[in-house]
Amino acid sequence: LGVADGPALHDLHEHVSDDALRLRFFSVGRHAAHMYVDRVLASPDTLALVAERNGRLIGVATAEPVKPGHAEVAFLVVDEERGLGVGTLLLEHLAALALRHGYLVLEAEVLSENSAMLSVFADSGYRVERRVEQGSILLAFDSAQSPTGAGLADAREFAAESLSLVPLLRPTSVAVVGVRSDGTGIGATVLRSIGEAGFTGRVCAVHPHAERL
């Protein structure tokens, strides 16, 4: 991240709900959030990753060094994207980035009521140590993935790839380009095969000249 990323990061922190801000910063005051953004942008040692959808920031994860080999991690995801796996994805990639930069232990402080974030850590596959302290839970875990964590990450990637293929493997409509009006040729054969196979979606035959086939 650099200075050019500042406006988008500030906008992200400005437009999340008060509840999301409180769970992240333990306060609803946005001044602290904007100060944190400025500190992250100015720190060459802080690691930061963002998640985007359609060119808009929907999440940010940071790892700030606290002592040699240790970094404190934190996450913020916009309200409408929470519960969709964005935090888990950011955690996975941030831990890998931290490991490459020599941060072997990652720490986090999470409000005890923030069950969603606690579930992200619990379900990630990392061996997480917990300590309760005055309404919050202090977490510590190795940035290196365990075999269980690696397996879970692979399963998440497989599921994501499977979903990305749904429009291709289970289409709701099909267009066949190059169908001859006299019913001959490969295009017409493909068109008949689609119907004979029992496809119930919309089928469009595309011909450069004919208005109706």
Side-chain angles (χ1 to χ4, degrees):
L1 294 176
V3 176
D5 301 299
L9 280 174
H10 281 293
D11 186 69
L12 171 67
H13 285 76
E14 183 64 29
H15 290 96
V16 296
S17 66
D18 288 345
D19 186 57
L21 206 67
R22 181 181 62 83
L23 293 175
R24 166 63 183 88
F25 293 98
F26 301 4
S27 167
V28 296
R30 299 190 184 262
H31 180 66
H34 292 303
M35 287 183 62
Y36 179 77
V37 171
D38 289 336
R39 188 168 81 243
V40 168
L41 292 173
S43 171
D45 298 320
T46 297
L47 306 178
L49 293 176
V50 296
E52 291 186 3
R53 185 187 296 278
N54 298 324
R56 171 177 171 258
L57 290 191
I58 61 171
V60 59
T62 57
E64 286 190 284
V66 291
K67 59 184 179 181
H70 291 239
E72 182 178 6
V73 299
F75 304 84
L76 180 67
V77 177
V78 296
D79 295 74
E80 60 270 26
E81 300 287 346
R82 290 166 66 182
L84 301 179
V86 177
T88 299
L89 188 64
L90 284 171
L91 171 59
E92 179 184 329
H93 286 273
L94 183 64
L97 181 63
L99 182 62
R100 291 199 298 271
H101 282 77
Y103 299 119
L104 304 181
V105 178
L106 302 181
E107 304 170 358
E109 183 176 5
V110 183
L111 283 177
S112 56
E113 65 185 89
N114 192 352
S115 57
M117 195 68 238
L118 291 172
S119 295
V120 167
F121 286 104
D123 298 338
S124 66
Y126 292 94
R127 292 186 290 267
V128 180
E129 297 180 1
R130 295 187 174 203
R131 188 172 80 252
V132 179
E133 186 175 287
Q134 297 182 343
S136 63
I137 299 177
L138 304 181
L139 309 174
F141 58 98
D142 294 339
S143 56
Q145 275 192 336
S146 66
T148 299
L152 290 172
D154 288 343
R156 288 192 294 268
E157 184 176 356
F158 177 79
E161 290 178 352
S162 297
L163 287 174
S164 70
L165 292 173
V166 167
L168 175 64
L169 301 179
R170 298 177 183 175
T172 57
S173 62
V174 174
V176 182
V177 181
V179 180
R180 293 179 181 174
S181 57
D182 62 3
T184 63
I186 295 176
T189 300
V190 171
L191 187 63
R192 285 194 298 271
S193 297
I194 292 174
E196 292 170 357
F199 181 69
T200 58
R202 183 185 179 194
V203 180
C204 299
V206 181
H207 189 280
H209 304 296
E211 295 182 359
R212 182 176 299 177
L213 296 175

